[in-house]
Amino acid sequence: MIKKLKSGIILSCLALSLAGCGGKEQYTVDEYENSNSEETEVASGTSSEASESTNTESPYSESAASEGSTAAAVSEGKLSQKLGGTTYEWGTSFTASGVNVNLNAHSEIKDTDSLPVYKVSLLKESDMNEDEVVKNIFGDSAKKIDRQLDYSNGDSEELVSDVNTLYYQYHRDKIESLSYEEQAAITTSEGWCEEDGFTIHTYEGTYQGIEYELFIGYDRQDNTRMISLYPKNIGEYFGNEKLDTIASFWVGTDLQEQPNVKEFLGSDMLSEKDVDDRVAEAESILVDKFGMNMPDGFISNDKGDSGYDREYTFYISRQALKDAGYDNVYQIENVYTLMDTFNMMDPDSYLMDGFNAVAYPSLGGQDIFVDPRGGVIVNIFDGGNFYLTDKGVLGFSFASGFEYEEQMSEDVPVLDYESMLHAFESDLTASLDASELSKSSITFSEARFVYYPIPSPDVQGELTLVPAWEFSSMDYDTFVLINAMDGSLIEIMY
């Protein structure tokens, strides 16, 4: 199927919990350096693929875990070789602190050649270098926008949406008490806004030969930078004045060859190389223009766990949508019907040659854990959308609250599946707090291989991103984070 996404990105992500580590002794930052020593690989459990190394019985035991020792981690080969396969069926039941604990989950990891460990630091407002960024983008053409933003009067629809997201976060109670008409008026923010909790600064100027708008915001509550860069008029970017909005949808490989999809996409689809080149260009903009220190590959050009291979973007006029029976640009539920309608319309009213690259919070191809109970606020780790075309990077929205400082190790060892299964049982048996649960049993139905940021015990605002396993309960009210390198408990979030 094809899934419609809202035009423009809302930079509302889920907050990351950094509080309270528990369980066995943690690695320190220094201990991650050069942790590439060879160890004996332990046996995998019900993995779909056997490891290429010689398997031995896992030395992990409950008694050993309680004393702080762990199984030997596997240091050689791809991630799938270290773990014992790309998929695994988790299954165990036990009692911990009087609570019946069940683990019944399926995991499918994203295989990678290495598992780097990075030291990162929380962003400070003084690190923004706003004047330098504005100069890099607009040169001498930059002008401050100190009026009210309104896309109906020519401002970028995507940029206005991003600005309103930050504004709404701090005025939610006030806004939600108003009528819909009053909300629409108050959430159209000023282009220049300074309040105790946040700043909103917008600029306009010439970029890529046409008029662009730039948003640089800072959320002081979460120490998060928000940036957006878009053409004021999409039609000017393409040389087609009819185009004035963006719509995106995901298309799976199995759908690309269906006649009506293929006819709609036509010959304007970007090739794999085109997409890779545009993604690299987007990364270089953040590094060169905005001065961000990011590792290669922090912008994803695949859909990962979503089940879709590519997210295509088309540029369309609102009038064309209204002619097709869609009065609200943000509510296009049936894209097949929309395609059929477009086939009968003015071909100049739409252009399909884009791709939406999503910057997920990830490192080394693995997701960075975010706490889904944190509320609708901006995540401290990088995330956003980059709209790519055959001409280059049309624009993007991006949020980040940290800076990569240095790579502590190019590749670290991890425990195999069966050893981690034993670690899960041992860690919960020792540390589960029954008083935090409202029931006598709990089932964990999801297990994901992720990176988790462990705060430095010595330096405030410094964290180390380490590989970990995240186990989630069925109703997503309890999360267990276990260090993938040694099986030690990082945290239980109730």
Side-chain angles (χ1 to χ4, degrees):
M1 64 180 294
I2 297 178
K3 181 177 180 181
K4 170 68 179 64
L5 298 182
K6 182 174 180 179
S7 171
I9 184 167
I10 301 296
L11 284 176
S12 301
C13 302
L14 301 175
L16 179 67
S17 172
L18 298 176
C21 295
K24 297 187 287 294
E25 180 181 359
Q26 304 295 323
Y27 275 97
T28 66
V29 172
D30 292 339
E31 288 175 312
Y32 285 108
E33 290 193 71
N34 303 318
S35 55
N36 298 315
S37 60
E38 295 186 14
E39 300 287 354
T40 303
E41 182 169 4
V42 290
S44 61
T46 52
S47 166
S48 63
E49 301 172 27
S51 169
E52 294 180 5
S53 302
T54 303
N55 290 331
T56 63
E57 183 178 356
S58 171
Y60 195 102
S61 67
E62 185 170 331
S63 60
S66 65
E67 297 170 359
S69 61
T70 61
V74 185
S75 61
E76 295 298 320
K78 293 186 175 183
L79 177 58
S80 59
Q81 294 172 300
K82 296 175 181 179
L83 295 174
T86 57
T87 64
Y88 187 73
E89 303 298 329
W90 303 85
T92 187
S93 298
F94 56 93
T95 300
S97 301
V99 177
N100 295 322
V101 179
N102 300 293
L103 173 59
N104 183 15
H106 169 81
S107 291
E108 184 168 353
I109 58 101
K110 303 171 187 175
D111 206 8
T112 54
D113 292 329
S114 62
L115 286 173
V117 167
Y118 270 87
K119 180 171 69 176
V120 300
S121 62
L122 299 182
L123 183 72
K124 298 186 291 291
E125 193 168 4
S126 58
D127 297 333
M128 297 272 285
N129 299 320
E130 183 172 324
D131 292 342
E132 182 178 347
V133 169
V134 174
K135 183 77 171 179
N136 288 341
I137 298 296
F138 290 141
D140 296 332
S141 69
K143 296 179 182 178
K144 183 173 78 171
I145 301 177
D146 55 3
R147 53 174 171 78
Q148 191 174 43
L149 296 169
D150 189 348
Y151 70 81
S152 64
N153 289 331
D155 290 313
S156 163
E157 182 177 347
E158 289 70 31
L159 182 135
V160 171
S161 176
D162 293 345
V163 170
N164 287 347
T165 297
L166 179 55
Y167 185 85
Y168 180 84
Q169 178 178 322
Y170 282 89
H171 295 277
R172 182 176 304 162
D173 293 341
K174 175 183 177 182
I175 293 171
E176 289 180 346
S177 67
L178 303 175
S179 67
Y180 178 81
E181 290 76 14
E182 290 172 324
Q183 287 184 28
I186 197 170
T187 56
T188 302
S189 172
E190 293 291 326
W192 201 271
C193 186
E194 297 271 3
E195 296 194 15
D196 290 342
F198 67 93
T199 61
I200 291 174
H201 292 172
T202 58
Y203 301 84
E204 56 189 352
T206 302
Y207 179 69
Q208 299 191 124
I210 63 174
E211 283 189 276
Y212 264 73
E213 290 182 326
L214 170 67
F215 161 46
I216 299 178
Y218 190 79
D219 181 352
R220 296 191 181 96
Q221 174 179 307
D222 300 303
N223 295 323
T224 302
R225 160 183 48 199
M226 299 173 65
I227 57 175
S228 304
L229 179 66
Y230 288 100
K232 289 187 69 173
N233 185 292
I234 294 173
E236 186 178 8
Y237 178 88
F238 289 108
N240 182 346
E241 63 182 14
K242 293 183 178 181
L243 307 179
D244 61 6
T245 194
I246 300 174
S248 301
F249 54 89
W250 292 340
V251 181
T253 304
D254 58 329
L255 292 176
Q256 291 180 24
E257 296 305 316
Q258 293 189 12
N260 56 340
V261 176
K262 194 170 185 178
E263 179 182 356
F264 179 68
L265 298 180
S267 60
D268 289 331
M269 274 177 30
L270 298 178
S271 69
E272 294 288 328
K273 184 179 185 305
D274 289 336
V275 172
D276 291 340
D277 289 345
R278 301 300 181 272
V279 167
E281 183 179 344
E283 291 179 339
S284 68
I285 291 174
L286 290 186
V287 173
D288 298 336
K289 300 291 187 182
F290 288 85
M292 297 185 187
N293 181 24
M294 301 287 187
D296 293 337
F298 65 88
I299 298 179
S300 170
N301 66 350
D302 64 79
K303 300 317 301 169
D305 295 334
S306 71
Y308 298 89
D309 297 311
R310 294 286 184 193
E311 184 176 298
Y312 293 100
T313 302
F314 61 94
Y315 307 90
I316 186 99
S317 70
R318 290 184 189 84
Q319 188 58 50
L321 290 170
K322 291 180 179 179
D323 291 346
Y326 297 93
D327 293 329
N328 189 337
V329 173
Y330 295 130
Q331 295 178 359
I332 309 173
E333 302 298 337
N334 190 336
V335 181
Y336 277 106
T337 300
L338 190 60
M339 286 183 182
D340 293 339
T341 306
F342 278 139
N343 288 337
M344 296 182 290
M345 292 168 55
D346 178 7
D348 289 336
S349 67
Y350 64 90
L351 179 65
M352 173 66 220
D353 68 348
F355 175 73
N356 183 15
V358 180
Y360 293 110
S362 63
L363 175 64
Q366 310 301 323
D367 293 340
I368 296 174
F369 174 79
V370 292
D371 182 359
R373 307 159 309 158
V376 185
I377 58 177
V378 178
N379 173 22
I380 70 160
F381 283 93
D382 55 329
N385 273 15
F386 293 77
Y387 294 105
L388 315 177
T389 76
D390 60 349
K391 295 165 62 70
V393 180
L394 177 139
F396 62 87
S397 306
F398 189 78
S400 177
F402 77 107
E403 297 281 358
Y404 281 97
E405 295 294 339
E406 63 178 302
Q407 186 182 72
M408 308 302 295
S409 176
E410 293 183 3
D411 190 21
V412 293
V414 294
L415 298 180
D416 71 0
Y417 290 118
E418 186 174 328
S419 297
M420 188 54 59
L421 181 64
H422 287 294
F424 174 84
E425 180 172 348
S426 178
D427 288 341
L428 264 67
T429 299
S431 303
L432 185 67
D433 186 351
S435 67
E436 294 282 357
L437 303 175
S438 59
K439 49 199 172 184
S440 60
S441 65
I442 185 170
T443 298
F444 292 88
S445 58
E446 188 172 316
R448 294 196 310 142
F449 190 87
V450 298
Y451 271 89
Y452 187 84
I454 295 181
S456 168
D458 303 316
V459 183
Q460 185 177 6
E462 185 177 277
L463 309 97
T464 305
L465 287 170
V466 302
W469 279 100
E470 168 209 341
F471 298 92
S472 307
S473 62
M474 288 185 65
D475 47 6
Y476 293 98
D477 61 357
T478 305
F479 301 87
V480 176
L481 279 301
I482 298 178
N483 192 318
M485 298 173 62
D486 64 357
S488 63
L489 179 66
I490 297 174
E491 186 172 2
I492 300 178
M493 300 178 181
Y494 298 98

